[in-house]
Amino acid sequence: MDQGRISAGQLTLLVMSFTIGSWIVLPTGLQSGQNIWLIILFGLGGGMFFACLGLLLYRRFPGKNLFEIHELVFGPVIGKFFSLLYLWFFLQTGGGTLGVFVTMLKSTVFTATPDLALLVPWVIIVIYGCRRGIEVIARSNQPLILATVGLILISILLVLNIFEADNLLPFLDKPFSRIAWDALGVAVFPFGQGVIFMMILPRVNRQQKVAGAVFGGLIGAGLVLMIIQSLAVGVLGKVAEVLVFPTYEFYRIIDIAQVLTRLELIPLLNFLTMGFIKIMLCLYALAFGTAQLFNLRTYRPLAIPIGVLLLVVARRIFPSVSEHMRYFEEVQPYYGLFFCLVLPLITLGTALLRGRARREMAP
Amino acid sequence: MADDRRKNRIFRGSLGLLLLSLVLSGGCWDRRELETLAVVTGMGLNYAAQGDGYEVAFQIVRAAQLQSASGGAGGGGELKPVWILRSTGPTVFEAVRNATFQSSRRLFLSHNQVLIISEAVAKGGLLPALEFFVRDHEPRNTQWLLLTPDEPVEILDAAAGLERVSALAIVDLMKQYQLTSKIKPVYLADYIKTRIEKTTANTLPIIRIYETAGKKELLLDGTAILKEDRLVGFLDHKETRGLLWVLGEVRGGVITVDLPGGGKATFEIFDAIPKVKVEFKEGRVQVKIEIKERAGLGAQTTYADLSTPEQFKKLENLQTKAIEDEIRAALAKAKAYKADIFGFGEYLYKHDHRTWQRLQKEWERYFVDAQVEIKIEAMVEELGLVTRPATYRELRK
């Protein structure tokens, strides 16, 4: 098994990249238009709550990852079943992310390139990174997230001449139920998907800093997403609602003295690097989890077959972009909630009950 | 043992080659080199003469001709620097593709600068014609939109004054709008952005052909109003600037006033900052427009000395009236067409969306009924290089 260690700071950056990941490309809750930043804020709140649950669970079983916790709490059979459910979730998250990126690349720049020509190199690099272990993933993430955040901050300057603060008004013109639903969607995806870090927490070298690192990462990602979405809405106005990739689109309008134009490369770079980290983490959790499930000595040989599986899932999971968007709008909030709220709650509840039972039996 | 190692090396080498080829294949499969492209700089949209569908006109640059012109080589059978092409199809997209029946190279739309729209299309609804340009990945949202009462293809084919390519000439015409502020340039992105708002009406600049010295030249001629995507009316230059004052897009230009006692004075506008406030009070929409304008004296047709502070005060008042005049004129037209080109409704939506919810269904009625209060603060700050016309003046005691 992977003996690599990462620092708390690296964990923070990983959480950030993972959360920014694919949501930045195909954001949900765009119907809320100018209130998108508020949705992200609420979503961040929800995400922090989910993180609290996970961290509470982790505190009861320090040094154990999610699958080990399952087995400790439910015993080997039911525990493995729970772990299997999560394996599916990781597979679906990773495959979905890969699918989003291929869709985006195909509809923006690489219109005539076949899916496989985009997918295969990507998957190869992801497999390579995954086999190298979490240390390498964390270290390769550092420059990428710095570049992404840096470019997004520079974007603020780039859009100054076309940004209209008025576009962010009116504040809260939609019914609250709508806002709550959209916020739930954002809480579950991208923030809730961070449940995947339950597989990585034991790898952190200074365990007492884990909680702070996770929260820091979530807040950092929330801020970055808020900035870029507010920029998109401020530049595009209500049009952001009808665009498939608003965060990509607003860079196309940037025009500073006819010199700085056509800056689509910036969002593409950001999206690709963040997506790369997210998919790599998904694959790592998948391979690691599978190895654990079957009591294998090492996860490394699994990276290739599971990587190929990821590729297949990515091609099949969303037959069209329209189904994809409908899924995120209407299904994902329930579905994701099951994995980031219901299952951890059940696990935590059972752990508490059994813990109490054990204590009562002990004396 | 040694054989094993060799096999291993071959295996690794071939694996590496395979990976390399895979990584290299992930490039851009639709890349095209410049000499295989037909770079489109201007496009015209019209309905097809026969049947339903669109007729799209293209202006394609002959890059080689552009170069030979600057070199001054010229020569006998020199071609025009642009090639004009027309094709039809049931949708704009299909018309664009159908152009390859005539063009040996595939049309490349990323560098398209202007979209010239015929009046017929504007009357029949513009968005269905523009939709392709937003949806497709090639055209940019920063193309200029213009309306023409003539055939769009004629605009693309017109002599371009000092330029070689008329589309590029139009781009420059749009960019120097602030020299008069009597034209409102509209990007494709602007049009879409206004179009998606519930109550705001769109405007487009009008371009047409006029003949001088036997050549067809281009002329910007006012502004068209599109309500609910359809052409409903026109603004002249003065009314257009009336609109721009309110939108805060007056960045320059000149304004002429009649002086009391005959003669005229022309001012150069430096800048103007508007402040608009829309409220709903006592069953009526109340609009307050405050404009702070700064200007300098640019020309006068009298012999009077206008340089004294007292005269400045008078000039400022005259200017205030002239600006208010322009705004009132635009307002009257907009109300006549029942088209909210100023975006008062959008302002109300942004600052008081609950009231707007109530009014939006009948916004037309409320807009026509709106009470508009205009307050203008004009400042004359500069004189130019002389204080008064060069006439002899008796010494003051």
Side-chain angles (χ1 to χ4, degrees):
Chain A
M1 280 299 173
D2 189 11
Q3 289 307 321
R5 289 270 175 247
I6 57 174
S7 72
Q10 283 176 323
L11 179 68
T12 304
L13 296 182
L14 276 179
V15 173
M16 261 181 94
S17 304
F18 183 86
T19 312
I20 295 171
S22 56
W23 191 82
I24 196 171
V25 182
L26 200 62
T28 55
L30 272 183
Q31 293 309 315
S32 297
Q34 73 284 18
N35 288 325
I36 186 87
W37 59 272
L38 193 70
I39 305 281
I40 298 173
L41 198 64
F42 286 163
L44 176 62
M48 303 264 269
F49 175 70
F50 300 146
C52 274
L53 270 184
L55 286 168
L56 268 180
L57 197 58
Y58 184 69
R59 228 171 102 182
R60 263 194 102 70
F61 303 96
K64 305 276 178 219
N65 70 21
L66 186 61
F67 287 11
E68 288 165 337
I69 293 173
H70 281 151
E71 291 202 22
L72 282 173
V73 173
F74 298 108
V77 182
I78 306 177
K80 286 211 156 119
F81 172 71
F82 269 59
S83 302
L84 210 58
L85 284 182
Y86 270 101
L87 276 185
W88 164 247
F89 182 63
F90 298 158
L91 181 65
Q92 188 250 353
T93 304
T97 307
L98 200 50
V100 168
F101 280 98
V102 171
T103 307
M104 192 209 47
L105 287 176
K106 276 195 70 104
S107 39
T108 52
V109 281
F110 295 122
T111 46
T113 313
D115 290 10
L116 275 181
L118 293 172
L119 277 167
V120 172
W122 199 326
V123 167
I124 287 174
I125 303 171
V126 167
I127 289 173
Y128 175 78
C130 172
R131 281 171 63 94
R132 292 281 139 176
I134 190 72
E135 257 180 43
V136 171
I137 300 178
R139 247 181 285 131
S140 66
N141 177 50
Q142 279 168 323
L144 298 183
I145 181 77
L146 277 182
T148 301
V149 174
L151 284 173
I152 287 176
L153 291 181
I154 289 172
S155 314
I156 299 178
L157 297 177
L158 290 176
V159 300
L160 272 183
N161 62 339
I162 46 173
F163 182 85
E164 289 171 39
D166 250 19
N167 284 336
L168 293 170
L169 292 171
F171 180 67
L172 278 186
D173 66 321
K174 307 264 183 342
F176 194 74
S177 57
R178 176 84 228 174
I179 303 260
W181 176 254
D182 285 343
L184 178 65
V186 175
V188 168
F189 165 62
F191 294 108
Q193 287 181 344
V195 73
I196 204 167
F197 282 98
M198 294 287 287
M199 301 297 292
I200 292 160
L201 292 186
R203 302 261 78 82
V204 178
N205 55 9
R206 295 170 85 182
Q207 286 292 321
Q208 67 274 22
K209 284 193 176 167
V210 160
V214 170
F215 286 133
L218 287 177
I219 292 171
L223 280 179
V224 168
L225 293 177
M226 245 151 54
I227 289 175
I228 191 146
Q229 289 300 338
S230 303
L231 289 186
V233 173
V235 170
L236 298 165
K238 272 190 138 29
V239 183
E241 288 172 26
V242 299
L243 294 168
V244 181
F245 307 111
T247 32
Y248 168 79
E249 202 68 38
F250 85 85
Y251 281 92
R252 306 212 319 160
I253 305 182
I254 290 176
D255 179 359
I256 293 178
Q258 295 221 285
V259 180
L260 288 172
T261 59
R262 317 197 165 177
L263 297 173
E264 295 102 300
L265 208 65
I266 293 181
L268 281 178
L269 212 65
N270 291 350
F271 299 168
L272 295 187
T273 51
M274 294 298 95
F276 169 62
I277 296 296
K278 180 164 182 177
I279 296 162
M280 203 145 71
L281 279 172
C282 285
L283 181 59
Y284 178 78
L286 264 173
F288 199 87
T290 312
Q292 210 156 44
L293 203 62
F294 295 108
N295 292 328
L296 303 183
R297 259 182 298 115
T298 168
Y299 75 96
R300 287 204 171 82
L302 292 173
I304 293 175
I306 294 178
V308 174
L309 191 64
L310 213 56
L311 190 150
V312 175
V313 171
R315 293 196 72 196
R316 298 275 168 232
I317 194 162
F318 299 120
S320 70
V321 70
S322 107
E323 279 176 64
H324 195 163
M325 293 196 295
R326 171 69 68 83
Y327 166 79
F328 278 128
E329 205 62 40
E330 289 171 13
V331 186
Q332 163 83 20
Y334 297 117
Y335 179 78
L337 215 52
F338 182 66
F339 288 99
C340 55
L341 183 69
V342 179
L343 284 184
L345 260 185
I346 293 176
T347 315
L348 192 63
T350 316
L352 286 175
L353 284 176
R354 295 191 70 169
R356 190 166 299 156
R358 202 174 299 147
R359 213 174 299 145
E360 274 163 20
M361 260 186 290
Chain B
M1 197 63 199
D3 200 37
D4 253 19
R5 209 176 294 148
R6 212 177 123 243
K7 256 190 200 159
N8 205 1
R9 213 158 51 210
I10 292 173
F11 175 74
R12 282 200 173 173
S14 50
L15 195 71
L17 270 179
L18 188 72
L19 291 187
L20 191 69
S21 69
L22 271 170
V23 170
L24 291 179
S25 71
C28 199
W29 284 34
D30 63 343
R31 74 164 174 10
R32 277 160 287 155
E33 303 304 329
L34 191 60
E35 57 267 32
T36 67
L37 288 177
V39 178
V40 179
T41 49
M43 287 173 80
L45 296 175
N46 203 346
Y47 285 130
Q50 288 131 9
D52 58 340
Y54 294 93
E55 181 194 273
V56 182
F58 304 90
Q59 183 191 56
I60 296 162
V61 175
R62 289 195 175 103
Q65 293 303 320
L66 280 179
Q67 257 171 13
S68 76
S70 57
E78 193 189 308
L79 293 158
K80 278 186 77 170
V82 293
W83 179 37
I84 305 293
L85 195 64
R86 271 199 276 193
S87 76
T88 56
T91 61
V92 173
F93 190 24
E94 183 145 4
V96 169
R97 276 297 154 84
N98 285 348
T100 49
F101 294 146
Q102 306 157 61
S103 167
S104 55
R105 303 177 184 177
R106 197 182 136 182
L107 302 188
F108 186 61
L109 303 183
S110 277
H111 294 289
N112 190 32
Q113 305 285 327
V114 294
L115 280 176
I116 313 286
I117 294 142
S118 78
E119 241 172 46
V121 173
K123 276 178 184 146
L126 192 49
L127 206 54
L130 291 184
E131 208 263 358
F132 161 75
F133 296 95
V134 191
R135 186 180 295 274
D136 196 72
H137 70 106
E138 241 177 43
R140 311 258 167 173
N141 287 333
T142 46
Q143 305 168 52
W144 298 108
L145 294 188
L146 293 105
L147 188 90
T148 180
D150 304 306
E151 281 281 309
V153 67
E154 281 181 44
I155 304 282
L156 297 177
D157 201 23
L162 298 173
E163 310 298 328
R164 306 263 296 161
V165 181
S166 67
L168 302 181
I170 295 171
V171 172
D172 291 339
L173 287 179
M174 294 285 109
K175 284 205 175 130
Q176 62 187 11
Y177 91 97
Q178 82 278 5
L179 293 181
T180 59
S181 292
K182 288 181 175 176
I183 306 141
K184 186 177 182 323
V186 176
Y187 268 146
L188 176 59
D190 298 334
Y191 186 86
I192 303 289
K193 194 171 157 189
T194 317
R195 184 63 204 97
I196 203 169
E197 295 170 358
K198 172 96 171 45
T199 49
T200 318
N202 282 96
T203 57
L204 288 181
I206 297 171
I207 192 162
R208 62 181 182 82
I209 298 273
Y210 82 105
E211 282 196 31
T212 175
K215 269 193 171 171
K216 286 180 175 171
E217 297 283 353
L218 298 173
L219 175 71
L220 288 172
D221 191 19
T223 301
I225 300 178
L226 286 92
K227 194 171 120 191
E228 307 266 302
D229 222 25
R230 285 180 166 75
L231 181 65
V232 291
F234 302 96
L235 298 178
D236 64 17
H237 282 316
K238 178 184 164 193
E239 291 151 357
T240 305
R241 190 157 69 190
L243 169 66
L244 292 186
W245 286 117
V246 180
L247 296 180
E249 286 175 32
V250 173
R251 306 247 153 81
V254 296
I255 186 164
T256 300
V257 299
D258 288 322
L259 296 173
K264 289 179 198 304
T266 296
F267 298 92
E268 167 134 34
I269 305 162
F270 297 146
D271 63 10
I273 300 161
K275 219 169 158 188
V276 181
K277 207 169 174 196
V278 184
E279 281 174 321
F280 186 67
K281 263 196 239 155
E282 297 148 18
R284 281 184 90 176
V285 173
Q286 315 258 355
V287 183
K288 269 188 201 141
I289 302 170
E290 274 176 47
I291 293 172
K292 277 195 183 135
E293 184 245 14
R294 296 190 310 121
L297 186 59
Q300 67 180 84
T301 61
T302 61
Y303 299 103
D305 179 4
L306 299 179
S307 67
T308 61
E310 296 75 33
Q311 286 287 354
F312 263 39
K313 197 97 241 147
K314 276 184 204 156
L315 294 175
E316 282 165 4
N317 287 339
L318 286 171
Q319 239 193 102
T320 302
K321 218 173 283 163
I323 295 172
E324 182 168 347
D325 236 33
E326 288 182 353
I327 298 176
R328 292 272 175 215
L331 205 62
K333 270 281 176 70
K335 283 188 174 180
Y337 295 126
K338 298 181 181 165
D340 181 5
I341 44 178
F342 300 95
F344 292 152
E346 190 60 19
Y347 183 94
L348 197 63
Y349 165 66
K350 279 176 175 160
H351 293 89
D352 187 2
H353 63 89
R354 285 187 188 84
T355 311
W356 181 83
Q357 276 305 347
R358 271 192 292 135
L359 306 188
Q360 48 112 345
K361 284 217 177 65
E362 288 179 83
W363 181 250
E364 223 168 67
R365 189 163 68 75
Y366 286 107
F367 174 69
V368 172
D369 190 42
Q371 202 171 34
V372 182
E373 196 183 304
I374 301 174
K375 216 176 113 192
I376 290 157
E377 217 175 285
M379 289 272 287
V380 178
E381 292 186 343
E382 276 175 38
L383 274 173
L385 300 181
V386 293
T387 52
R388 62 188 165 87
T391 51
Y392 178 76
R393 189 162 65 180
E394 297 289 337
L395 275 174
R396 261 177 282 180
K397 268 186 236 152

